[in-house]
Amino acid sequence: MKNIIPGLVASMGIAAIVLWGKHQISFLETVSPLLISIALGIVISHALPNGWKFRLASGLNVAKGTVLRTAIVLYGFNITFQAFADIGLYGVLSAVIMVATILCVGVWLGRRLFGLDTEQSILVAAGSAICGAAAVAAFEPIINAKPHKVLTAISTVVVFGTLSMLMLPILLELVPLTHHQYGLWAGVSIHEVAQVVVAGDAISESAAHIAVLEKMFRVVLLVPVLLIVAIWTKYRFQGSNVSTVEKRITVPWFAFLFIGVIVINSLEILPSSFIDILSSVAMYLLCVAMAALGILTHFSVIKQGGLQAFGLATILFVLLLVLGFGLAAFG
């Protein structure tokens, strides 16, 4: 037990500093706290002697494992099922089409065109298709991804999600979409929830409402996608020796708990003030996990596949905008 304390304390301290800084430093308000956490972790990683890293390792692994899964579960307190009635059946189908298309195209292109391994391709595709950094973090324990691959995928989400957030309000001036259609476009195309909020608010309150609901349904799709990837992982390694298969198969139980939390939140049995606290705790724990990943990462390995990952993310970014517009225009 004592072995995990130093690493946990280090990760928790970094996360606390990041969230405090976002409220104190104005230009950090628009930057994902998850990216800041992992970046600060990397800085500390390069400053620490190897002996200190060894002492922190046990706690850091707990932070990027158990703490991360707990954060994903609590993230469900941001969602209620009844809210999805406003996006209608077409909105639901649009989200399913987008997520399925980006995931399949992303994994195929990553492996065939850019020469990325399967894990990196899945992380980049999942971050683009579902819910940005949170999706990347959720897939990390499922596919046993190395920290530098997680960082690369999150970086693509930040870069192209920010571009989408800035471009969509401008593009609306050039295309004949209603505010409802624009909300669908933003919700089905932009990477991060916070980025969707900004892009929606830039147009109108009604556009923001639809955009956030559409985005949240994409978040819910994280659960079936995690299950599919877990099953696919088993199939992929079924020809390996037993010890390898047992090591690689991870049943995403936290995904079922995530749905359970959404059900509880939908029943409205908890005070809204308490829900707000739990949502804040979820973000804090996500930052703790990202800080741990940062400390476990070194720049020397980030270069592996970095350029190819951004090439893949560029194509997915264009596909998100074009397919998203097509879905919105017919909505």
Side-chain angles (χ1 to χ4, degrees):
M1 180 66 181
K2 288 183 179 180
N3 290 338
I4 71 172
I5 293 177
L8 276 177
V9 170
S11 302
M12 292 170 67
I14 293 172
I17 290 171
V18 168
L19 293 177
W20 174 83
K22 277 187 66 67
H23 293 293
Q24 301 297 322
I25 305 173
S26 58
F27 74 86
L28 292 179
E29 292 180 359
T30 58
V31 182
S32 168
L34 304 186
L35 180 67
I36 301 173
S37 297
I38 202 169
L40 188 54
I42 291 174
V43 172
I44 293 173
S45 171
H46 286 71
L48 285 176
N50 288 332
W52 275 92
K53 290 183 184 180
F54 180 77
R55 290 183 61 186
L56 297 176
S58 296
L60 296 176
N61 286 323
V62 171
K64 77 179 187 68
T66 304
V67 172
L68 174 58
R69 292 177 178 86
T70 303
I72 296 297
V73 171
L74 293 178
Y75 195 78
F77 281 110
N78 291 292
I79 306 169
T80 61
F81 285 124
Q82 53 263 43
F84 295 137
D86 289 348
I87 64 173
L89 179 60
Y90 186 81
V92 170
L93 291 175
S94 296
V96 172
I97 291 170
M98 180 64 85
V99 169
T101 301
I102 296 299
L103 282 171
C104 293
V105 171
V107 174
W108 187 83
L109 284 179
R111 297 174 64 187
R112 298 298 181 89
L113 181 62
F114 293 98
L116 294 170
D117 59 34
T118 302
E119 288 75 18
Q120 184 73 87
S121 300
I122 289 175
L123 291 175
V124 174
S128 299
I130 306 174
C131 53
V136 175
F139 274 91
E140 185 272 334
I142 301 299
I143 61 176
N144 295 319
K146 291 181 172 60
H148 73 275
K149 295 180 182 180
V150 175
L151 171 62
T152 302
I154 290 177
S155 298
T156 66
V157 165
V158 172
V159 170
F160 292 104
T162 301
L163 279 176
S164 298
M165 176 186 73
L166 297 174
M167 286 177 59
L168 257 66
I170 298 172
L171 291 175
L172 183 61
E173 301 295 326
L174 307 175
V175 294
L177 293 181
T178 66
H179 286 194
H180 181 96
Q181 290 173 317
Y182 171 83
L184 176 62
W185 187 20
V188 84
S189 303
I190 299 178
H191 300 60
E192 291 270 5
V193 175
Q195 295 162 347
V196 169
V197 172
V198 173
D201 281 338
I203 301 304
S204 69
E205 184 177 340
S206 62
H209 177 69
I210 295 300
V212 171
L213 290 179
E214 185 69 25
K215 180 62 181 179
M216 284 304 180
F217 189 78
R218 284 169 69 194
V219 175
V220 171
L221 292 177
L222 175 65
V223 176
V225 173
L226 283 172
L227 295 175
I228 290 170
V229 170
I231 294 170
W232 174 81
T233 301
K234 178 178 180 179
Y235 172 79
R236 181 186 176 206
F237 286 93
Q238 67 179 0
S240 305
N241 62 69
V242 175
S243 61
T244 301
V245 173
E246 289 178 347
K247 181 180 179 181
R248 293 301 299 258
I249 297 173
T250 303
V251 178
W253 296 111
F254 65 93
F256 295 103
L257 294 175
F258 173 74
I259 291 293
V261 165
I262 296 175
V263 171
I264 293 172
N265 198 32
S266 300
L267 294 174
E268 299 180 349
I269 57 179
L270 297 176
S272 59
S273 58
F274 186 55
I275 296 296
D276 292 339
I277 293 173
L278 292 174
S279 297
S280 298
V281 170
M283 179 54 67
Y284 173 69
L285 294 181
L286 280 172
C287 289
V288 170
M290 293 302 102
L293 284 169
I295 299 175
L296 291 168
T297 302
H298 196 279
F299 272 123
S300 61
V301 295
I302 294 175
K303 294 183 292 184
Q304 300 175 16
L307 185 60
Q308 293 90 332
F310 270 89
L312 172 60
T314 301
I315 293 179
L316 296 182
F317 162 70
V318 174
L319 182 57
L320 280 164
L321 291 183
V322 174
L323 180 57
F325 174 76
L327 292 168
F330 287 100

